[in-house]
Amino acid sequence: MRTHQPDRVRPKKSLGQHFLHDKNIAEKIVQGLIAPGGIEQVLEIGPGMGVLTQFLVQRKDLTVTVVEIDRDSVVYLEKHYPGLPIISGDFLELDLRERFSGNYSIIGNFPYNISSQIFFKVLENRDRVWQVVGMIQKEVADRIAAPPGNKTYGILSVLLQAFYTVHYLFKVPPGVFNPPPKVMSAVIRLERNGRKALSCNEALFFRVVKQGFNNRRKTLRNALKNLILPAFQHLPPEAVTEFLKLTILDKRAEQLSVDDFIHLTELIEQNSGAANSI
Ligand code: SAH
């Protein structure tokens, strides 16, 4: 007889639900999370029916909280994981500062439709999120891990690599999910690096990186014009002309390392003399 509490959740495409049914892979993902300091606070995003959660809750070195947007999955988890702290809602709307004191890690087989947004939220909370273990589309994993000069090197690569060391753990084929996604997946691990604050204006750094890559075929001179010209408007035109001669501006965004981007941001900041007003 059917009860109101489902014994399995029917996958919903709109929520990016692809349930992993390979327990060995699930265990391997959970092993990717380290807890060197003893007890580690962990937030799992999108547990679904708990394929990762079952291994997370076994670990004595972790205290686990999960956040799940899907009501059916929440009902399932409440039944199968009594006592598990479940936040029923949208990770992207979650006030992480209010929820967690101290440092914590994030783990999950991420909903692929919002994986970039998850990483931007991680960046906003980089003072507390010291580790992320996530399964994402292989294409996004490749981008995040890409070095300068690579075609897939982009905004997320620079911003995440500025603050995290990226470890590419392993690839996962579509067949181990229900339903199988159209793309290959990969598991990556991010670990916060030693860079606490940038030596340049951080908001400007984010803007320089984003604008540089939004026009990735152009030289930085052209790609960043809309950013540089207003910042220099109070200076004599000769100063602007002189600045635009800088050879770093001959390059395209994909040729710049994280340190180059920091250096370029410093140059804009120092030469415009108006870091706070940019
Ligand atoms: N971890 C499970 C499910 C992965 S599918 C497994 O490996 O089998 C992605 C999960 O993220 C689904 O359970 C989906 O409901 C959930 N999800 C999607 N968008 C979300 C959001 N914005 N916040 C929290 N969870 C979300």
Side-chain angles (χ1 to χ4, degrees):
M1 214 186 90
R2 274 191 154 263
T3 66
H4 290 300
Q5 293 182 327
D7 252 5
R8 50 185 293 274
V9 177
R10 190 137 41 92
K12 299 176 196 69
K13 211 174 162 186
S14 61
L15 294 176
Q17 290 181 337
H18 297 275
F19 296 120
L20 178 65
H21 55 66
D22 185 317
K23 280 198 171 194
N24 292 327
I25 294 178
E27 191 171 13
K28 229 168 110 183
I29 294 170
V30 171
Q31 283 166 355
L33 191 90
I34 61 168
I39 301 292
E40 180 66 20
Q41 296 187 86
V42 182
L43 176 63
E44 186 192 356
I45 302 175
M49 286 183 285
V51 68
L52 297 183
T53 324
Q54 64 186 322
F55 294 108
L56 288 168
V57 296
Q58 280 175 19
R59 281 177 57 168
K60 303 264 181 293
D61 56 349
L62 308 178
T63 53
V64 186
T65 303
V66 303
V67 54
E68 173 58 65
I69 203 171
D70 175 36
R71 273 307 304 169
D72 292 347
S73 295
V74 169
V75 170
Y76 179 97
L77 291 162
E78 282 169 346
K79 180 180 172 192
H80 290 87
Y81 296 87
L84 174 72
I86 302 172
I87 303 166
S88 176
D90 183 347
F91 167 73
L92 297 176
E93 301 286 324
L94 189 62
D95 186 341
L96 291 169
R97 282 173 206 286
E98 186 196 7
R99 278 282 169 175
F100 292 95
S101 55
N103 292 348
Y104 55 95
S105 295
I106 288 179
I107 191 168
N109 290 344
F110 294 159
Y112 292 176
N113 49 342
I114 58 163
S115 48
S116 295
Q117 290 167 76
I118 290 174
F119 287 111
F120 280 110
K121 182 152 177 155
V122 165
L123 280 167
E124 282 168 22
N125 291 278
R126 61 185 179 272
D127 56 328
R128 296 275 178 76
V129 181
W130 78 273
Q131 170 180 232
V132 181
V133 174
M135 172 131 68
I136 49 183
Q137 307 95 301
K138 178 183 170 295
E139 183 234 316
V140 177
D142 290 346
R143 271 199 274 143
I144 289 173
N150 194 293
K151 250 198 249 155
T152 57
Y153 183 65
I155 296 171
L156 268 186
S157 335
V158 177
L159 298 183
L160 285 172
Q161 289 172 29
F163 298 102
Y164 291 88
T165 305
V166 181
H167 304 271
Y168 201 108
L169 299 187
F170 53 90
K171 292 177 207 150
V172 181
V176 297
F177 297 90
N178 172 40
K182 291 205 175 71
V183 293
M184 278 290 286
S185 302
V187 180
I188 59 168
R189 174 167 175 274
L190 306 181
E191 186 173 341
R192 192 71 172 81
N193 64 23
R195 205 181 254 131
K196 291 290 169 261
L198 300 184
S199 53
C200 61
N201 177 318
E202 295 195 352
L204 182 60
F205 171 79
F206 275 67
R207 285 181 55 208
V208 168
V209 173
K210 284 182 182 172
Q211 201 158 325
F213 280 106
N214 282 339
N215 305 284
R216 64 184 298 145
R217 298 236 181 82
K218 296 186 183 170
T219 63
L220 288 162
R221 183 171 297 108
N222 288 323
L224 298 180
K225 250 192 186 133
N226 294 341
L227 190 149
I228 292 172
L229 295 183
F232 284 67
Q233 65 182 349
H234 60 291
L235 298 180
E238 309 85 72
V240 183
T241 314
E242 205 49 42
F243 184 81
L244 290 175
K245 283 185 189 155
L246 287 175
T247 52
I248 192 172
L249 298 172
D250 294 337
K251 299 191 176 185
R252 282 173 288 121
E254 67 188 43
Q255 296 172 281
L256 262 54
S257 67
V258 170
D259 286 332
D260 292 336
F261 269 111
I262 293 171
H263 179 59
L264 173 59
T265 308
E266 283 172 344
L267 287 172
I268 296 174
E269 216 177 316
Q270 288 157 8
N271 285 279
S272 69
N276 296 330
S277 64
I278 304 175

